[in-house]
Amino acid sequence: QVQLVESGGGLVQAGGSLRLSCTASGRIFSSSAMGWFRQVPGKEREFVAAVNWSGRTTYYADSVKGRFTISRDGAKNTVYLQMDSLKPEDTAVYYCAARYHQGTHSDGAEYDDWGQGTQVTVSS
């Protein structure tokens, strides 16, 4: 099992930027696919972005494509989510997740471990 700790959330004005970090420990990070999801109270969890184990392949939800960038640093066991041009509708709790097997990158049920979440609030 891997422990995931997110950081970097906060309050930002619309149009601003934030960078979320998720640091992993407890298992071989380099062989894990990683994803970011978000959830608003009362709504289902939503896929945001994912990156494969090598970092060479990335996936994005249509709602964030062109504004968000996912990346990973194997030396630091960390995955990042750079969020630019933020909108009020991006407000949510953001979670990172790890997947240790082949699966659907956008399906949260395919992921094995989750972080505790970090709040992102975008004011208009």
Side-chain angles (χ1 to χ4, degrees), residues 2-3 8-9 26 30-31 36 40-41 46 67 82 92 120:
V2 66
Q3 291 77 45
S30 61
S31 62
W36 286 97
V40 175
E46 177 187 22
R67 299 188 298 121
Q82 177 67 42
V120 171

Side-chain angles (χ1 to χ4, degrees), residues 25-94:
S25 61
R27 189 164 171 158
I28 299 175
F29 173 77
S30 61
S31 62
S32 304
M34 301 295 296
W36 286 97
F37 293 77
R38 66 188 181 186
Q39 190 167 23
V40 175
K43 293 189 176 181
E44 290 190 358
R45 182 176 56 200
E46 177 187 22
F47 167 73
V48 176
V51 60
N52 76 334
W53 66 274
S54 70
R56 294 192 183 99
T57 304
T58 57
Y59 309 89
Y60 296 96
D62 288 342
S63 59
V64 306
K65 202 170 294 183
R67 299 188 298 121
F68 290 12
T69 303
I70 188 170
S71 62
R72 63 191 299 159
D73 184 337
K76 296 182 178 180
N77 278 7
T78 299
V79 62
Y80 302 99
L81 185 68
Q82 177 67 42
M83 305 186 295
D84 299 318
S85 303
L86 282 161
K87 304 176 181 180
E89 51 263 43
D90 294 319
T91 296
V93 177
Y94 283 71

